[in-house]
């Protein structure tokens, strides 16, 4: 049995997204193979015995080791993988992306990259004066704000932060204060999928999304968010991701590349992504699979 698209998943909150992918596959006339914890053993067995194959992999099994053989099977056979694991690992390294973005002419916060605690337990003093009164400390890898300290102000905080994820490099990053547009901080999260961009207002305190209207894009020059996001896509080489951009005196990319997108939808969770955006992303990913036939 040969499937056009394989979708391994286990997170219960992915169910709406998976349903959107399933409907898009039906509309595009391609076959979908869902691999879940229920059929995982049988699926992996079928793959490695040559009883089942697939043309494209859309992996939502990240973080669960028992799903890794599917990713490995696809990699070893040069199967089309949406967001290949090795590309994701490279692009999610904030220290790497910081340097790549600077080289490409993108605006980023002033930052200093420091080695991991394990690589260099004792580091020389860092001049914190250029950061101002407060700054941000964040581990080089990881998402969802894990390990991020906002409003840090001392070297002691830097040294102690390094020990939370001792194997990771850290960034000390200047704090960006955005403009206020129509009583909203000009802080945005933009989603990208297969050449399409979906910009949203994003509240850093509540994590709530609001769609940017066409009128807002036109009046406040927010269409620039799309151009910046496409430039990021050309650098990171991912098929889908999100990024955070703030408008201070200029547009600044504040959180570079987030690969493992939280696909919870707004109709099911207050801080979920607008349903229409996740639905459009699902359709774009299915188009990748169809183009690969």
């Amino acid at each position: 049995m040969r499937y056009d698209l394989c979708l391994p998943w286990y997170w219960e909150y992915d169910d709406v997204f998976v349903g959107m992918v399933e409907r898009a596959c039906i509309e595009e006339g391609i076959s979908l193979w869902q691999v879940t914890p229920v059929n995982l053993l049988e699926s992996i067995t079928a793959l490695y015995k040559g009883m089942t194959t697939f043309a494209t992999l859309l992996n939502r099994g990240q973080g669960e080791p028992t799903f890794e053989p599917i990713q490995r099977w696809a990699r070893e056979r040069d199967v089309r993988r949406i967001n290949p694991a090795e590309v994701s690992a490279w692009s999610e390294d904030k220290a790497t992306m910081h340097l790549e973005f600077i080289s490409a002419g993108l605006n980023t916060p002033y930052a200093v990259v420091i080695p991991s605690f394990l690589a260099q337990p004792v580091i020389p003093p860092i001049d914190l004066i250029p950061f101002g009164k407060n700054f941000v400390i964040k581990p080089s890898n990881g998402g969802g704000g894990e390990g991020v300290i906002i409003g840090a102000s001392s070297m002691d905080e830097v040294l102690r932060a390094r020990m939370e994820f001792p194997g990771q490099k850290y960034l000390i990053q200047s704090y960006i204060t955005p403009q206020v547009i129509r009583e909203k901080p000009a802080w945005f999260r933009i989603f990208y999928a297969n050449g399409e961009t979906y910009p949203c207002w994003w509240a850093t305190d509540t994590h709530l999304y609001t769609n940017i209207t066409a009128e807002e894009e036109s009046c406040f020059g927010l269409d620039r968010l799309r151009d910046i996001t496409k430039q990021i896509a050309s650098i990171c080489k991912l098929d889908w991701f999100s990024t955070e951009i703030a408008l201070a005196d200029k547009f600044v990319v504040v959180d570079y590349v987030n690969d493992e997108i939280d696909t919870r939808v707004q109709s099911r969770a207050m801080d979920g992504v607008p349903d229409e955006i996740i639905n459009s992303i699902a359709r774009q990913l299915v188009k990748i699979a169809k183009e690969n036939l």
Side-chain angles (χ1 to χ4, degrees), residues 81-192:
R81 291 171 292 148
I82 294 172
N83 282 15
E86 62 274 15
V87 179
S88 294
W90 178 77
S91 64
E92 285 203 313
D93 186 319
K94 295 178 176 62
T96 297
M97 286 298 102
H98 179 73
L99 299 175
E100 291 285 342
F101 285 9
I102 290 174
S103 297
L106 290 172
N107 298 316
T108 62
Y110 175 74
V112 170
V113 178
I114 54 179
S116 73
F117 179 79
L118 294 183
Q120 191 174 335
V122 179
I123 58 174
I126 297 170
D127 181 9
L128 299 177
I129 293 176
F131 294 98
K133 289 185 178 181
N134 299 107
F135 51 85
V136 179
I137 307 169
K138 58 177 64 174
S140 184
N141 297 85
E146 192 174 15
V148 176
I149 300 173
I150 298 174
S153 59
S154 70
M155 189 64 191
D156 183 66
E157 289 173 282
V158 173
L159 298 178
R160 294 185 183 279
R162 298 173 72 221
M163 298 183 71
E164 183 173 358
F165 297 97
Q168 294 191 30
K169 293 172 288 186
Y170 269 75
L171 274 77
I172 307 174
Q173 199 177 63
S174 62
Y175 183 80
I176 300 298
T177 301
Q179 295 182 23
V180 175
I181 299 176
R182 290 182 176 172
E183 302 183 350
K184 291 183 289 190
W187 198 287
F188 311 94
R189 177 165 282 180
I190 305 90
F191 296 88
Y192 174 93

Side-chain angles (χ1 to χ4, degrees), residues 3 5-9 18-19 21-22 32-36 39 43:
Y3 290 92
L5 177 62
C6 176
L7 173 54
W9 67 287
V18 171
V21 171
E22 187 173 25
L32 174 66
W33 183 23
Q34 296 186 41
V35 179
T36 69
N39 68 345
S43 299

Side-chain angles (χ1 to χ4, degrees), residues 47 73 86 96-97 128 158 189 226-227 265 272 290 293:
L47 268 180
W73 182 93
E86 62 274 15
T96 297
M97 286 298 102
L128 299 177
V158 173
R189 177 165 282 180
R226 298 182 185 272
D227 298 332
V265 292
K290 185 170 184 179
L293 296 179

Side-chain angles (χ1 to χ4, degrees), residues 49-89:
K49 285 189 174 182
M51 300 162 57
T52 307
T53 64
F54 57 82
T56 300
L57 176 64
L58 171 56
N59 186 33
R60 290 293 289 180
Q62 305 101 319
E64 179 51 60
T66 53
F67 281 77
E68 172 55 28
I70 301 174
Q71 179 81 254
R72 187 169 68 244
W73 182 93
R75 183 178 64 249
E76 290 173 349
R77 288 156 180 80
D78 201 26
V79 166
R80 174 66 163 97
R81 291 171 292 148
I82 294 172
N83 282 15
E86 62 274 15
V87 179
S88 294

